[in-house]
Amino acid sequence: MRKLVVVLGVPIDNLTMSETIDRLDSFVQIGRETGKTHQVATVNADFAVKSLNDPELRLLLCEAEMATADGMPLVWGARLLGIDIPERVAGADIVPALAGRAAEKGYSIYFFGAADGIAQKAADRLKEQYPNLKIAGVASPPFGSILEMDRRYIDEIKRSKADIVLVALGNPKQEKWIGMYGREIGAPVAIGIGGTLDFMTGQTKRAPAWMQKTGLEWVYRLLQEPQRLWKRYVHDLFGFSSFFVRQWWMMRQQNGPALILPKTDLVLIDQTAYLTLSGRLDRNNYEEIVMSGMEALKETGQIEINLKETTFLDSSAIGGLVLIAKQAREQGGDVCLKEVPDRILQTLTLLKLDQFFDIVDENGKPIHVSPQTVFVEPSTHVIRMPRRLDVNTAENQQIKIMQALQSHDDILLDFTETRFLASAGLASLAHIQKEAQRLNKKLRLANCSTDVQRVIKMVRFDSLFEIVEHFKAPA
Ligand code: UDP
């Protein structure tokens, strides 16, 4: 069973290096049998801080099959929250160890990213070390937006039938790239490895082992590239520590004596599983929570978890809920959290997981509703956008909108229900807007949630589209 601990809103796997390699090995076997791509992330402080302001990255990390603690701050953070992560599991250590396992088992590896020539050099080095290693291919695309990446790279990786794709595009680009193309390339494992290939080829020097273990690697890197890195480190230091202190403090405040005995209770009615969690839920009953979720998932993907009687959730119990929700979504269902006590809601909101879960009140009404105030013209054609505009839904939605553009002059894309807008959705919106401009039609976006707005602003699409804050379609 996966053990997760949520630090800065990111669920981190509690694993040793050798467990990580075993798990990656099993991902390859599962992927070969089922065609599933397992997304793996190596999370450091910079990454975790970025995810606070990047909803797409946050969701990708919540839904990744594995997220290791690549930096000591993550390990320390988990420990301060009471969860003992045994060691740091850095991308730069995973890659050589995984190459050894791959050579042994006959798995092929594709090297994707880094500056020109670096990926090839890294592949050659590993091949020298492990002559049996199968190199599925090597490519270093020019630096630039993933939305504009040449499709030939994707086709080429697909054709290579690699078992493992190492993606070195820096974060969050590599995570978004895997989110966007992972399923299409069909490799069993895709790992975002940041600057690992630069380390392996000596392009950047790695700190001595004692510095890596004591969390001082950043000092070493800073001395090597002060110009490029000082701003990032200052930003990360403040971002990570200030946010972490808030999480730690909030959890400490709530961490009172247990008045209600921890209990899980499961009932199944009409294809929905009703799970009630009571009392103080923490690392001691993590397994019980996840097992009851898995029990429910054997029957159905729709789970309602009632938290009315829950007095405390620690960062591992929250990790357990993330795991159940992720599994439910894979089965085509979802988890909804009902009657969440205010203090727990505050923690989920702080960790920005209030957008990840569906949260409803005692009557089953969502607790986040956007006010709808502005009326639009009757002639405006309103198209409802899906809950998630991502690689799975973007294409169908695009076809629908393209058809509507043929017969309507003014189209409003209604994002009221959209919780998640991925890079694939953005690419599709850009394409649709181009077509609308060509046909001289009006295309607007409306009722975007804060997260969706943030994604739109990050890629500067707010200059491409007119955005209506709150609207109401005429009856
Ligand atoms: N990189 C890339 N394409 C890009 C941006 C970065 O191939 O558009 C590569 C870069 O050459 C380096 C790696 O991604 O090998 C990691 O970059 P960076 O040091 O910025 O990220 P971090 O290691 O901090 O995640």
Side-chain angles (χ1 to χ4, degrees):
M1 179 194 296
R2 251 183 108 179
K3 280 198 183 144
L4 292 175
V5 43
V6 175
V7 185
L8 257 74
V10 180
I12 303 290
D13 279 271
N14 186 353
L15 288 168
T16 61
M17 176 57 95
S18 75
E19 287 167 340
T20 303
I21 301 300
D22 287 345
R23 178 139 335 145
L24 288 167
D25 190 337
S26 71
F27 286 168
V28 174
Q29 293 172 34
I30 298 170
R32 279 180 166 187
E33 275 167 29
T34 62
K36 176 179 166 145
T37 298
H38 298 77
Q39 175 157 14
V40 177
T42 52
V43 183
N44 58 23
D46 175 56
F47 206 144
V49 171
K50 271 189 193 139
S51 79
L52 292 173
N53 291 312
D54 185 335
E56 179 180 13
L57 178 62
R58 213 160 52 230
L59 192 80
L60 285 167
L61 290 176
C62 281
E63 297 194 343
E65 262 66 38
M66 182 155 82
T68 67
D70 182 305
M72 281 313 282
L74 273 301
V75 176
W76 293 327
R79 287 183 187 160
L80 282 168
L81 293 167
I83 318 298
D84 196 14
I85 291 191
E87 59 182 333
R88 178 180 169 204
V89 181
D93 298 314
I94 294 178
V95 172
L98 182 61
R101 178 69 63 92
E104 198 183 297
K105 295 278 195 82
Y107 303 153
S108 62
I109 302 187
Y110 199 105
F111 295 73
F112 187 61
D116 204 18
I118 302 291
Q120 185 62 56
K121 221 164 147 186
D124 293 344
R125 291 250 161 110
L126 286 174
K127 183 84 185 162
E128 262 169 43
Q129 202 179 345
Y130 303 105
N132 288 338
L133 182 66
K134 288 189 195 153
I135 310 282
V138 177
S140 300
F143 284 31
S145 160
I146 56 166
L147 300 180
E148 284 147 21
M149 188 177 280
D150 194 330
R151 272 220 50 100
R152 275 180 301 181
Y153 289 107
I154 290 99
D155 296 335
E156 151 70 18
I157 299 176
K158 217 158 115 181
R159 265 199 306 274
S160 79
K161 298 211 161 36
D163 291 304
I164 299 160
V165 182
L166 302 177
V167 188
L169 300 176
N171 82 65
K173 208 186 270 184
Q174 59 202 17
E175 277 62 41
K176 294 186 181 183
W177 186 88
I178 298 173
M180 197 163 165
Y181 298 113
R183 239 178 42 155
E184 193 182 340
I185 58 173
V189 174
I191 318 179
I193 56 164
T196 296
L197 303 180
D198 299 300
F199 284 129
M200 287 172 57
T201 51
Q203 198 72 9
T204 347
K205 277 213 187 78
R206 242 193 133 186
W210 71 268
M211 282 183 119
Q212 293 174 29
K213 285 212 175 82
T214 46
L216 290 175
E217 189 163 21
W218 66 275
V219 178
Y220 192 86
R221 282 196 76 183
L222 183 63
L223 291 174
Q224 281 189 75
E225 292 181 271
Q227 296 282 24
R228 188 172 84 95
L229 294 176
W230 78 268
K231 267 197 200 141
R232 187 203 280 191
Y233 285 161
V234 169
H235 176 257
D236 293 350
L237 189 70
F238 280 106
F240 192 89
S241 44
S242 63
F243 195 95
F244 180 78
V245 167
R246 275 157 69 201
Q247 176 178 359
W248 177 79
W249 181 250
M250 191 176 270
M251 288 188 151
R252 203 181 131 93
Q253 291 288 303
Q254 296 176 5
N255 194 354
L259 300 174
I260 306 173
L261 280 179
K263 202 169 92 195
T264 57
D265 189 23
L266 179 65
V267 212
L268 186 79
I269 309 170
D270 290 342
Q271 288 310 305
T272 301
Y274 295 87
L275 179 63
T276 306
L277 301 180
S278 321
R280 188 199 143 88
L281 302 170
D282 57 23
R283 60 188 181 283
N284 298 317
N285 32 46
Y286 177 89
E287 288 194 7
E288 198 185 325
I289 301 167
V290 175
M291 288 304 288
S292 57
M294 296 304 144
E295 202 58 39
L297 286 166
K298 279 189 204 148
E299 307 296 330
T300 171
Q302 292 301 340
I303 307 185
E304 183 182 292
I305 303 183
N306 194 307
L307 295 177
K308 190 177 173 195
E309 300 282 307
T310 304
T311 52
F312 176 66
L313 287 177
D314 80 346
S315 49
S316 70
I318 297 176
L321 295 182
V322 169
L323 189 59
I324 299 171
K326 186 178 129 53
Q327 203 84 17
R329 286 173 199 175
E330 268 174 30
Q331 283 179 221
D334 209 344
V335 160
C336 115
L337 303 182
K338 193 170 185 181
E339 294 187 77
V340 183
D342 281 350
R343 283 152 74 106
I344 293 177
L345 191 58
Q346 273 170 24
T347 311
L348 292 177
T349 309
L350 175 74
L351 296 176
K352 309 206 178 205
L353 289 170
D354 54 327
Q355 296 285 321
F356 177 72
F357 293 108
D358 257 344
I359 303 181
V360 299
D361 64 13
E362 69 273 24
N363 302 315
K365 283 222 177 82
I367 58 158
H368 296 284
V369 248
S370 61
Q372 302 189 332
T373 43
V374 176
F375 285 81
V376 294
E377 299 297 311
S379 57
T380 305
H381 182 67
V382 179
I383 299 180
R384 264 173 133 186
M385 300 304 276
R387 224 178 109 79
R388 296 165 66 121
L389 189 61
D390 59 12
V391 68
N392 299 316
T393 55
E395 199 180 327
N396 278 343
Q397 196 67 17
Q398 181 173 327
I399 296 172
K400 200 157 126 191
I401 301 167
M402 289 296 203
Q403 277 167 357
L405 278 173
Q406 301 303 321
S407 42
H408 299 275
D409 293 334
D410 177 11
I411 293 180
L412 194 81
L413 305 182
D414 175 8
F415 280 81
T416 308
E417 285 170 15
T418 307
R419 305 284 288 273
F420 176 54
L421 173 57
S423 298
L426 287 169
S428 156
L429 286 177
H431 193 70
I432 295 165
Q433 181 66 302
K434 229 185 210 168
E435 182 64 6
Q437 280 166 356
R438 194 183 69 81
L439 297 170
N440 210 10
K441 303 282 172 89
K442 190 169 168 186
L443 182 73
R444 291 175 292 169
L445 316 184
N447 285 12
C448 302
S449 71
T450 343
D451 270 1
V452 169
Q453 278 183 39
R454 196 169 279 161
V455 173
I456 288 173
K457 288 210 173 107
M458 276 174 71
V459 291
R460 309 221 157 78
F461 270 25
D462 45 339
S463 58
L464 200 63
F465 290 94
E466 184 188 332
I467 301 176
V468 181
E469 288 274 322
H470 306 301
F471 90 100
K472 189 158 171 60

